[in-house]
């Protein structure tokens, strides 16, 4: 122990001497006039990630200058033992070049007083002296433990049998079943390895002007430098965000190695145990638990949700709670994970209807908070119980969907509870007041968890939002410990990389330094990546960023046309055979879906069915009876949704208008004496509504495409604005009353739906002018009838598909 202290003390003294700001050393060169003046020095038995770092340094110095730096000792790049000895010694007098670049920890870096002490979460050091440069970080090989799958077949056979033996009477999914995906045989590297030295090398190359904007050679920029001076540098670089996960990096896939390498160059670290979503699925998905413990699952319409692909839990079940705690403790003990997810399976949007769960939801908080108190009470109780036995481990809950807002029934979380917030920042350009409310929620989560907050950025495909991404990361500075960024990929390769690469690049740069000037970062990108088309691509990308959400609707043709015209100006600026032309051609390919959509909508809909709104005369009392003279005839009729044929249970309707109100009357015929299926929902915006009988009104105005209002036989309503991503935040403020007559076999809807030409309040009422020949609306009406023996779906304008949401098939309303 004393010797260790003395060694550490000696190193600290040497560090002061060697790295003192007053140290002066003679100028040196790494490369001079295309000739190598330095050699790369590495320990004799470097780790795999250090070998790769050496290769990267050698490769890009040669690309820049034409000079290939020798590696010393040459044997270091051969296969080494599984556990490398970082302090191997070799005779320094065998060196051949005047300048040494020490890559990774070695005898020499220790002698110089440069160590990896304190370099956590990927931090690194770049230090130079008289004739030397040290590039290093903490390099630790990940060592899997417990029962995990060596490959897909192994998990399905040998490992699965061992897992079942280990878990005994419990039926849980193995959270490490896909761990093999995190290992690359060719590189002998795990995604979970700590690769600080590689990050140091990439940081040094970045300082020389090398850029990796996108996977593969097409995405890199390498400046020409025939002379590279030995820099005078002494700095430690520490990331502002500790956790920096990129979901697309699939280490096991040979075809995805470009993406894997790119993620490493960007400084991502894929921290073990922190990529944790929907962890309760390990307990709720196994078929044995569905069969043996139906009370663990949510009750809808008097049936337990045991048949869904992602079954919803009953969080009032004490047995489920105890099982979840047992699972978490078992996994902590077997795999030594730092964190485990206790997060309901995907699609948990409807409240369990059992007696124990009644009253635990908070519908007054809106769609994002309706289940917050219910879900987070459960997660916090699990965390508190686990804290008794594993106080040094974290439980991760997810702020997602109907439980995105912080709970109001908990004053202080268990100290081991962390929060994964889905889309804490913008995917699209949304109103600033909406974004400000989102930031307030993140701040509250940070307070409740002592800043144990990780954001999960699910930015989707085809988005190009670099400036918004940067602004939001900067706004979250100091509130979050890291981020997990998910975007679309196919077989491990980025889907539509032209659109997604800049999101990843900007985000990863901001993860390391939230203070970066986004204007300078993007200006450099446009100049480097598009050359003579820099200004034109800047104009196109900025326009696309601010308008991409508006390009989705049927009325978006002028917006898409302008975007395509801006892009065409960029295309005309470059030689198609040049590197810039190839990059823009890739972007052009990514725009094909927009071109196809534009071709469909530029001339409007083709012969849509029309419906003439009747002017309302006389009083209408919205009571569901449809007994006023206005409703004497219901001229509209629904047809089978795909083929347009007759249906067994007809539905007729009429639409009227008076002032700024639409009136809907709908009569749904049913089997006399049959009981309608209301799915036992009672509260507005409860997604369980769609488990039963529903009539939906889809309304597109010249201003919004489109609104959705769903009504069940008990007059429970779900209303959404799909045009601006507001969804359940929007309220139609409609008067809707239903009447059910089971004896005669029908149920009816009578509704008054207000609209306004003003867009001042986007969260309330339909926004649009009075429907007319010059300003028509488009619409569809659907009916869903659900029974055990089968159902029936009908529509005013058949879509040719089973889905309601096909806006090109909307009928014309004038």
């Amino acid at each position: 122990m004393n010797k260790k202290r003395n060694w550490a003390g000696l190193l600290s003294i040497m560090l002061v001497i060697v790295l003192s700001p007053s140290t002066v050393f003679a100028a040196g060169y790494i490369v001079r006039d295309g000739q190598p003046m330095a050699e790369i020095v590495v320990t004799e038995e470097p780790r795999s990630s250090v070998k790769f770092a050496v290769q990267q340094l050698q490769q890009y110095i040669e690309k820049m200058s034409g000079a290939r730096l020798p590696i010393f000792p040459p044997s270091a790049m051969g296969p080494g033992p599984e556990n490398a000895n970082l302090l191997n010694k070799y005779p320094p007098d065998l060196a051949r070049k005047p300048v040494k670049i020490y890559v990774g920890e070695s005898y020499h870096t220790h002698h110089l007083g440069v160590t990896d002490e304190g370099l956590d979460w990927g931090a690194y050091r770049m230090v130079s002296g008289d004739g030397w440069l040290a590039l290093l970080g903490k390099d630790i090989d990940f060592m899997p433990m417990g029962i995990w799958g060596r490959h897909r077949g192994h998990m399905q056979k040998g490992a699965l049998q061992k897992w079942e033996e280990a878990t005994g009477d419990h039926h849980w999914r193995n959270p490490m079943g896909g761990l093999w995906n995190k290992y690359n045989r060719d590189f002998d590297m795990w995604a979970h390895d700590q690769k600080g030295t590689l990050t140091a090398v990439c940081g040094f190359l970045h300082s020389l002007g090398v850029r990796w904007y996108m996977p593969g050679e097409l995405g890199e920029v390498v400046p020409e430098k025939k002379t590279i001076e030995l820099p005078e540098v002494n700095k430690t670089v520490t990331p502002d965000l500790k956790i920096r996960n990129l979901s697309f990096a699939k280490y096991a896939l040979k075809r995805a190695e470009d993406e894997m390498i790119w993620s490493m160059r960007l400084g991502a670290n894929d921290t073990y145990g922190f990529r944790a979503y929907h962890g309760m699925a390990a307990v709720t998905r196994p078929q044995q638990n569905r069969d043996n413990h139906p009370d663990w699952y949510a009750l809808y319409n008097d049936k337990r949700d045991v048949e869904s692909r992602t079954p919803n839990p009953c969080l009032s079940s004490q047995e489920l709670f105890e099982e979840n705690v047992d699972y978490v403790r078992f996994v902590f003990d077997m795999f030594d994970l730092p964190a485990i997810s206790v997060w309901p399976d995907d699609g948990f949007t409807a409240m369990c209807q059992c007696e124990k769960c009644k009253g635990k939801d908070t519908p007054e908080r809106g769609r994002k908070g309706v289940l917050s108190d219910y879900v987070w009470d459960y997660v916090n109780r699990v965390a508190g119980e686990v804290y008794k036995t594993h106080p040094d481990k974290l439980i991760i809950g997810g702020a997602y969907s109907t439980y995105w807002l912080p709970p109001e029934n908990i004053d202080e979380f268990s100290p081991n509870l962390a929060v994964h917030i889905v889309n804490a920042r913008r995917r699209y350009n949304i109103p600033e007041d909406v974004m400000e409310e989102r930031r307030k929620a993140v701040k509250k989560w940070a307070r409740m968890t002592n800043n144990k907050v990780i954001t999960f950025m699910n930015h989707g495909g085809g988005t190009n939002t670099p400036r918004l991404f940067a602004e939001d990361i900067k706004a979250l500075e100091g509130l979050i410990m890291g981020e997990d960024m998910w975007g679309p990929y196919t077989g491990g390769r980025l889907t539509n990389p032209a659109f997604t690469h800049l999101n990843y690049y900007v985000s990863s740069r901001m993860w390391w330094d939230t203070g970066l000037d986004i204007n300078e970062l993007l200006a450099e990108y446009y100049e480097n990546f598009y050359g003579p088309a820099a200004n034109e691509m800047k104009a196109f990308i900025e326009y696309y960023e601010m308008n991409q959400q508006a390009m989705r609707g049927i009325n978006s043709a002028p917006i898409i046309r302008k975007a395509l015209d801006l892009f065409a100006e960029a295309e005309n600026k470059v030689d198609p055979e040049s590197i810039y032309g190839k990059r823009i051609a890739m972007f052009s390919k990514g725009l094909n879906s927009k071109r196809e959509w534009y071709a469909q909508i530029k001339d409007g809909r083709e012969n849509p069915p029309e419906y003439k709104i009747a002017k309302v005369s006389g009083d209408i009392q919205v009571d569901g009876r449809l007994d006023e003279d206005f409703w004497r005839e219901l001229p509209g009729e629904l047809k089978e949704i795909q083929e347009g044929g007759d249906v067994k249970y007809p539905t007729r309707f009429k639409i009227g208008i008076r002032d700024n109100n639409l009136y809907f009357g709908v009569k749904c015929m049913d089997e006399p004496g049959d009981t309608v299926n209301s799915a036992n929902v009672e509260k507005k915006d409860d997604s369980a509504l769609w488990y039963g009988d529903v009539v939906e009104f889809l309304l597109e105005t010249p201003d919004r495409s489109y609104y959705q209002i769903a009504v069940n036989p008990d007059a429970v309503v779900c209303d959404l604005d799909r045009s601006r991503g507001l969804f359940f935040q929007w309220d139609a403020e409609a008067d809707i009353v239903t009447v059910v007559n089971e004896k005669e076999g029908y149920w009816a809807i009578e509704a008054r739906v207000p609209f306004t030409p003003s867009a001042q309040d986007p969260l309330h009422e339909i926004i649009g002018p009075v429907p007319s020949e010059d300003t028509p609306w488009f619409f569809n009406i659907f009916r869903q009838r659900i029974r055990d023996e089968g159902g029936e779906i009908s529509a005013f304008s058949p879509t040719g598909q089973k889905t309601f949401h096909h806006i090109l098939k909307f009928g014309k309303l004038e």
Side-chain angles (χ1 to χ4, degrees):
M1 184 67 70
N2 290 333
K3 287 184 178 179
K4 200 166 188 179
R5 283 200 193 99
N6 292 338
W7 172 242
L10 177 62
L11 285 179
S12 64
I13 294 171
M14 291 174 64
L15 186 65
V16 172
I17 295 172
V18 174
L19 303 183
S20 170
S22 61
T23 299
V24 179
F25 52 89
Y29 295 91
I30 294 173
V31 176
R32 188 171 187 178
D33 297 328
Q35 297 301 312
M37 305 298 291
E39 66 180 8
I40 301 170
V41 180
V42 65
T43 185
E44 291 181 345
E45 298 173 349
R47 300 178 187 275
S48 296
S49 60
V50 176
K51 290 181 184 179
F52 185 66
V54 168
Q55 291 167 349
Q56 293 290 284
L57 181 61
Q58 185 186 56
Q59 175 185 353
Y60 280 92
I61 292 293
E62 186 173 12
K63 282 187 176 185
M64 283 188 284
S65 65
R68 187 171 182 84
L69 304 186
I71 299 168
F72 191 85
S75 60
M77 301 308 287
E82 192 169 356
N83 298 306
N85 177 3
L86 291 179
L87 301 182
N88 274 332
K89 211 173 174 182
Y90 65 88
D93 57 338
L94 295 181
R96 296 170 296 177
K97 300 294 182 184
V99 172
K100 311 294 182 292
I101 303 178
Y102 301 113
V103 178
E105 274 206 315
S106 66
Y107 168 81
H108 293 285
T109 60
H110 274 260
H111 180 72
L112 292 167
V114 185
T115 73
D116 66 2
E117 184 178 356
L119 299 182
D120 298 318
W121 303 101
Y124 61 89
R125 289 198 173 101
M126 293 195 293
V127 183
S128 63
D130 191 0
W132 61 269
L133 170 67
L135 305 172
L136 62 82
K138 190 163 288 185
D139 302 302
I140 301 176
D141 290 339
F142 171 70
M143 297 297 293
M145 58 188 302
I147 300 170
W148 58 280
R150 269 63 173 175
H151 50 78
R152 191 185 303 275
H154 179 254
M155 190 60 241
Q156 292 172 346
K157 295 180 181 178
L160 179 59
Q161 182 178 347
K162 290 182 180 179
W163 175 256
E164 290 176 348
E165 291 172 357
T167 54
D169 294 335
H170 297 286
H171 300 289
W172 302 321
R173 299 177 73 183
N174 187 334
M176 295 295 111
L179 189 59
W180 57 273
N181 251 321
K182 299 294 184 180
Y183 177 68
N184 187 289
R185 293 179 181 276
D186 293 339
F187 289 76
D188 188 26
M189 279 193 286
W190 287 88
H192 302 315
D193 289 343
Q194 292 190 42
K195 312 177 185 74
T197 294
L198 174 58
T199 309
V201 166
C202 292
F204 173 65
L205 292 172
H206 189 276
S207 72
L208 297 178
V210 178
R211 298 292 182 268
W212 295 286
Y213 292 119
M214 197 178 69
E217 289 191 7
L218 193 63
E220 70 180 31
V221 173
V222 182
E224 183 176 332
K225 289 179 179 287
K226 290 297 182 183
T227 295
I228 302 174
E229 293 184 356
L230 176 67
E232 187 172 354
V233 62
N234 177 8
K235 68 178 180 179
T236 297
V237 181
T238 303
D240 286 344
L241 271 64
K242 296 177 179 178
I243 296 167
R244 305 176 303 281
N245 290 344
L246 292 171
S247 66
F248 59 76
K250 302 298 181 185
Y251 272 58
L253 298 177
K254 180 75 174 177
R255 61 180 174 274
E257 280 184 357
D258 282 347
E259 276 77 3
M260 178 193 78
I261 293 170
W262 190 50
S263 72
M264 293 190 289
R265 289 168 175 168
L266 292 180
N269 59 357
D270 202 341
T271 44
Y272 178 59
F274 282 94
R275 178 169 290 170
Y277 327 125
H278 305 298
M280 283 185 66
V283 177
T284 57
R285 283 200 194 182
Q287 189 62 47
Q288 297 96 323
N289 291 336
R290 304 181 195 216
D291 295 338
N292 300 334
H293 305 283
D295 289 349
W296 294 2
Y297 299 87
L299 185 71
Y300 300 125
N301 200 20
D302 297 324
K303 291 183 178 180
R304 293 290 176 177
D305 186 30
V306 295
E307 297 181 0
S308 303
R309 186 183 68 85
T310 57
N312 290 333
C314 170
L315 298 184
S316 296
S317 168
Q318 182 63 22
E319 280 192 7
L320 176 61
F321 170 80
E322 293 172 359
E323 188 75 6
N324 213 155
V325 171
D326 288 346
Y327 164 76
V328 170
R329 286 173 171 160
F330 180 87
V331 171
F332 274 145
D333 292 340
M334 173 168 282
F335 299 110
D336 194 29
L337 285 162
I340 292 178
S341 163
V342 177
W343 181 350
D345 207 341
D346 210 358
F348 191 27
T349 58
M351 181 73 173
C352 174
Q353 297 170 348
C354 78
E355 289 298 322
K356 291 182 179 180
C357 289
K358 281 186 177 179
K360 293 184 178 181
D361 57 343
T362 51
E364 67 276 6
R365 300 193 69 196
R367 184 66 178 174
K368 288 188 174 182
V370 62
L371 298 185
S372 286
D373 286 5
Y374 176 64
V375 169
W376 284 99
D377 173 73
Y378 177 89
V379 175
N380 191 51
R381 286 190 295 118
V382 172
E385 192 65 23
V386 173
Y387 187 69
K388 298 174 184 178
T389 55
H390 297 74
D392 59 331
K393 303 291 188 179
L394 288 179
I395 298 296
I396 297 179
Y400 180 59
S401 184
T402 53
Y403 44 97
W404 191 91
L405 290 175
E408 295 182 332
N409 62 340
I410 301 173
D411 294 327
E412 187 176 355
F413 277 144
S414 178
N416 61 331
L417 183 53
V419 179
H420 225 133
I421 306 178
V422 176
N423 290 336
R425 53 189 180 94
R426 290 169 289 184
R427 293 187 296 170
Y428 307 106
N429 184 34
I430 61 177
E432 183 58 35
D433 59 336
V434 177
M435 188 60 229
E436 187 56 35
E437 288 301 312
R438 191 176 295 186
R439 289 172 183 157
K440 286 180 181 178
V442 176
K443 290 177 181 177
K444 185 173 181 181
W445 282 119
R447 289 194 301 271
M448 295 183 75
T449 62
N450 193 25
N451 291 58
K452 298 185 186 77
V453 173
I454 306 162
T455 62
F456 175 72
M457 188 60 199
N458 182 359
H459 71 83
T463 64
N464 208 30
T465 47
R467 188 175 295 277
L468 297 180
F469 277 23
E471 290 173 359
D472 290 348
I473 291 175
K474 190 182 293 288
L476 297 175
E477 182 180 5
L479 298 175
I480 62 176
M481 62 186 293
E483 186 161 88
D484 197 333
M485 193 166 173
W486 188 93
Y489 52 85
T490 305
R493 305 299 305 275
L494 289 188
T495 304
N496 205 355
F499 280 85
T500 55
H501 77 270
L502 188 52
N503 292 337
Y504 287 119
Y505 177 75
V506 167
S507 295
S508 63
R509 298 283 290 126
M510 297 294 292
W511 291 346
W512 279 86
D513 183 0
T514 55
L516 279 177
D517 186 321
I518 185 59
N519 293 317
E520 292 181 4
L521 186 67
L522 289 176
E524 178 192 79
Y525 164 76
Y526 292 126
E527 185 66 31
N528 282 343
F529 209 61
Y530 300 112
N535 292 334
E536 288 74 15
M537 283 301 292
K538 177 178 184 289
F540 163 72
I541 289 174
E542 289 182 349
Y543 180 83
Y544 198 98
E545 179 172 31
M546 302 309 292
N547 292 279
Q548 59 188 339
Q549 185 75 343
M551 296 183 192
R552 304 172 68 181
I554 194 72
N555 300 315
S556 61
I559 301 172
I560 297 174
R561 182 68 269 165
K562 182 173 179 180
L564 294 175
D565 288 345
L566 287 171
F567 184 75
E569 292 178 15
E571 284 185 303
N572 292 333
K573 282 280 187 175
V574 296
D575 177 358
E577 298 302 316
S578 69
I579 186 68
Y580 307 114
K582 292 175 181 178
R583 290 169 181 157
I584 289 178
M586 174 195 62
F587 223 120
S588 181
K589 184 178 179 180
L591 279 172
N592 283 340
S593 62
K594 283 290 181 282
R595 293 189 180 98
E596 293 169 1
W597 179 235
Y598 175 77
Q600 293 180 58
I601 65 174
K602 64 183 178 65
D603 298 323
R605 295 176 172 89
E606 183 178 350
N607 299 321
E610 297 184 2
Y611 185 92
K612 299 287 185 180
I613 305 176
K615 290 185 178 180
V616 175
S617 58
D619 292 335
I620 289 184
Q621 183 176 351
V622 179
D623 57 12
R625 299 180 182 278
L626 301 179
D627 53 2
E628 290 87 0
D629 286 343
F630 181 78
W631 304 118
R632 190 177 304 277
E633 292 183 3
L634 302 175
E637 183 179 5
L638 305 191
K639 298 291 185 180
E640 192 275 327
I641 188 171
Q642 289 183 278
E643 302 296 333
D646 293 337
V647 291
K648 182 177 181 180
Y649 299 100
T651 304
R652 304 196 68 85
F653 70 91
K654 186 175 183 177
I655 305 175
I657 188 170
R658 183 167 62 194
D659 301 325
N660 278 5
N661 295 286
L662 290 181
Y663 290 83
F664 292 88
V666 183
K667 190 170 185 179
C668 306
M669 303 309 297
D670 217 315
E671 196 73 42
D674 192 11
T675 300
V676 295
N677 182 358
S678 295
N680 283 343
V681 294
E682 300 175 354
K683 298 173 182 177
K684 185 177 183 296
D685 289 340
D686 186 341
S687 295
L689 180 100
W690 279 283
Y691 283 86
D693 295 350
V694 174
V695 169
E696 291 199 24
F697 307 95
L698 306 185
L699 297 165
E700 176 191 293
T701 75
D703 300 279
R704 297 290 191 273
S705 180
Y706 53 95
Y707 297 100
Q708 178 182 4
I709 304 172
V711 185
N712 82 345
D714 289 340
V716 178
V717 175
C718 284
D719 45 10
L720 305 85
D721 178 0
R722 292 181 172 272
S723 63
R724 293 294 186 272
L726 298 175
F727 295 101
F728 285 98
Q729 296 177 63
W730 177 73
D731 190 341
E733 297 194 339
D735 294 329
I736 301 175
V737 181
T738 61
V739 166
V740 178
N741 189 327
E742 294 177 349
K743 182 178 179 180
E744 296 185 20
Y746 73 88
W747 63 284
I749 302 171
E750 194 168 12
R752 181 189 64 82
V753 182
F755 65 90
T756 173
S758 171
Q760 294 300 313
D761 185 6
L763 296 180
H764 301 92
E765 296 191 18
I766 291 172
I767 298 173
V770 174
S772 67
E773 186 174 349
D774 293 330
T775 57
W777 292 17
F778 291 86
F779 82 109
N780 216 338
I781 298 178
F782 298 93
R783 178 187 176 190
Q784 169 184 280
R785 184 180 183 274
I786 300 294
R787 296 295 183 275
D788 288 341
E789 67 275 11
E792 188 174 73
I793 303 177
S794 52
F796 165 68
S797 177
T799 63
Q801 306 171 6
K802 290 184 179 180
T803 178
F804 296 176
H805 304 277
H806 191 349
I807 61 176
L808 286 175
K809 294 296 184 179
F810 283 16
K812 191 175 184 180
L813 188 66
E814 59 182 35

